[in-house]
Amino acid sequence: MKYIYRLLILGFFANFIAYNSFAEVTFSGYQEFFAGSSDQSTRTALDMSTNTGVSQSGLSNGAYTRLLATVSATLDNGIEVIGVYSIMKDDKTGGDTDVLGISTNQNDISLSGGFGTFTIGNTGSTGSMMHYRASTIIPTAEPDGGILAHFYSGGSNTYGRADEVGYAEDSMKVRYMSNVYQGFSFGLQYGASLRSTPARTSASDMNCTTASDITGHGCYSDVIDAVIKYEGTFDGITIGATYGMIGGNTNIIAGAEYNDLEADVYTANIGYDNFTLQYKHASHGDSGQLKSTTDDGDDVGTTICGVYTFGNSSAGVCGVETEFSETGVSVKNESSQMVYGFGYNLGGGVMIEAAYATVEQSQGSTKDTDADVIISKISFGF
């Protein structure tokens, strides 16, 4: 009985704090679940008709299920302060680690006013916030979400990047985003290291220790991400464009020097009535590659996606092409994805969606991956 009494007192005290504190606390969340299957004819450059494959079909709990607590308050000088903390599914439980290092695993504080918005913490990059994210707009948000890869085996070579370094990752950073002036806005961020994420213990060495860490764009330091954006509506047509530059430093490993990060990102958006078309191009050149090697790099990716909404339904198509020059390989490595999605809004925050995708990857003239993937999804935002 005394335990029940204590719980009642604790509940009353928590209720008193919630309703009498100076800050307002709100909770929101999101859940997702998938079913999927793939027909993979080529895996790791092997013909699956004559080799033993893997079984990845079935159910998946996705990657982005989370609960968010948002706290807001206003300072005496009128500046608004907002703190966001998310609890992600399976995070640091010894199980599924999909969410480690992803920007939805959020923990940040923002200060906003007539000057714009300053944010510090484990949060999304300037580019993640300001560029048009074409690969997210069709039903299922694939291929951006990466859930397709739960149901097929991708190749182990480098095929190029569709998104910029730092996209959708949650390393510690300080970010400034201006208010919008006549359709124009800009943003700027600084991050000490891409390795300073919740996936790594505090006080860890932020230098890369292996060549693959650097060539895989995993640990640039002193990362600066700057973006300018314009968006306006003319006669019912919404037109927008962004341009971004990203820079960062590499470290020396065993006497070997690597190219610093230098990337350019362009995105565009056209919207009319219920139709939206978006474009994204990311170029990383020779970033992260050995300075002594001259036949590698040329890392580029292009994404074009469109979606149309009619009533509670939506349908879209998304294509992503990337390429990368691998040293010693005369033909560029390439990857190609086409995704066709359909969704229906049931109301109350519940969506059902489905997608069909084709995936191809090649190292030079050798095909590493050839797969057809079907997924279905149910999600609940609250």
Side-chain angles (χ1 to χ4, degrees), residues 268-279:
N269 172 83
I270 298 177
Y272 179 72
D273 198 14
N274 296 325
F275 176 72
T276 300
L277 179 68
Q278 293 186 357
Y279 166 86

Side-chain angles (χ1 to χ4, degrees), residues 130 177-187 227-231 241-243:
M130 297 187 68
M177 294 175 60
S178 75
N179 294 324
V180 179
Y181 305 98
Q182 299 295 318
F184 289 93
S185 58
F186 68 93
V227 179
I228 57 173
K229 180 177 183 177
Y230 174 78
E231 183 174 291
T242 68
Y243 170 67

Side-chain angles (χ1 to χ4, degrees), residues 25-286:
V25 182
T26 60
F27 290 93
S28 59
Y30 173 78
Q31 292 177 290
E32 63 179 13
F33 299 95
F34 292 81
S37 180
S38 69
D39 178 12
Q40 187 159 358
S41 59
T42 306
R43 175 178 177 269
T44 62
L46 297 175
D47 183 350
M48 288 295 95
S49 65
T50 56
N51 288 273
T52 302
V54 296
S55 177
Q56 292 174 269
S57 299
L59 302 175
S60 169
N61 64 359
Y64 306 104
T65 292
R66 61 195 181 275
L67 179 66
L68 290 91
T70 302
V71 184
S72 60
T74 302
L75 304 182
D76 292 342
N77 58 11
I79 293 176
E80 184 179 8
V81 180
I82 296 178
V84 179
Y85 183 77
S86 66
I87 302 173
M88 300 286 290
K89 65 100 181 168
D90 296 337
D91 189 3
K92 296 246 180 204
T93 62
D96 192 340
T97 58
D98 291 333
V99 302
L100 292 179
I102 295 177
S103 59
T104 50
N105 195 10
Q106 186 177 358
N107 174 27
D108 61 32
I109 296 176
S110 297
L111 293 89
S112 302
F115 53 83
T117 302
F118 281 98
T119 304
I120 183 171
N122 299 110
T123 189
S125 66
T126 303
S128 300
M129 303 295 290
M130 297 187 68
H131 289 308
Y132 293 104
R133 302 169 60 176
S135 56
T136 68
I137 65 174
I138 75 168
T140 70
E142 292 294 316
D144 180 86
I147 305 300
L148 289 170
H150 290 195
F151 301 103
Y152 75 94
S153 296
S156 58
N157 293 298
T158 300
Y159 308 100
R161 292 182 63 94
D163 293 308
E164 69 275 14
V165 165
Y167 172 76
E169 59 83 42
D170 66 346
S171 63
M172 276 290 299
K173 57 181 68 72
V174 178
R175 185 186 67 226
Y176 169 74
M177 294 175 60
S178 75
N179 294 324
V180 179
Y181 305 98
Q182 299 295 318
F184 289 93
S185 58
F186 68 93
L188 180 69
Q189 77 167 54
Y190 170 79
S193 173
L194 290 181
R195 290 165 70 87
S196 58
T197 76
R200 199 171 302 278
T201 58
S202 300
S204 294
D205 183 4
M206 294 299 148
N207 284 325
C208 284
T209 56
T210 66
S212 61
D213 285 340
I214 293 184
T215 58
H217 305 296
C219 48
Y220 295 108
S221 61
D222 298 321
V223 177
I224 295 176
D225 187 350
V227 179
I228 57 173
K229 180 177 183 177
Y230 174 78
E231 183 174 291
T233 301
F234 308 91
D235 297 326
I237 301 175
T238 299
I239 297 175
T242 68
Y243 170 67
M245 296 178 63
I246 311 170
N249 299 323
T250 57
N251 60 275
I252 298 172
I253 298 180
E257 296 186 26
Y258 297 82
N259 293 313
D260 290 337
L261 170 62
E262 295 180 4
D264 297 290
V265 184
Y266 305 84
T267 70
N269 172 83
I270 298 177
Y272 179 72
D273 198 14
N274 296 325
F275 176 72
T276 300
L277 179 68
Q278 293 186 357
Y279 166 86
K280 183 174 187 178
H281 179 81
S283 173
H284 292 83
D286 298 338

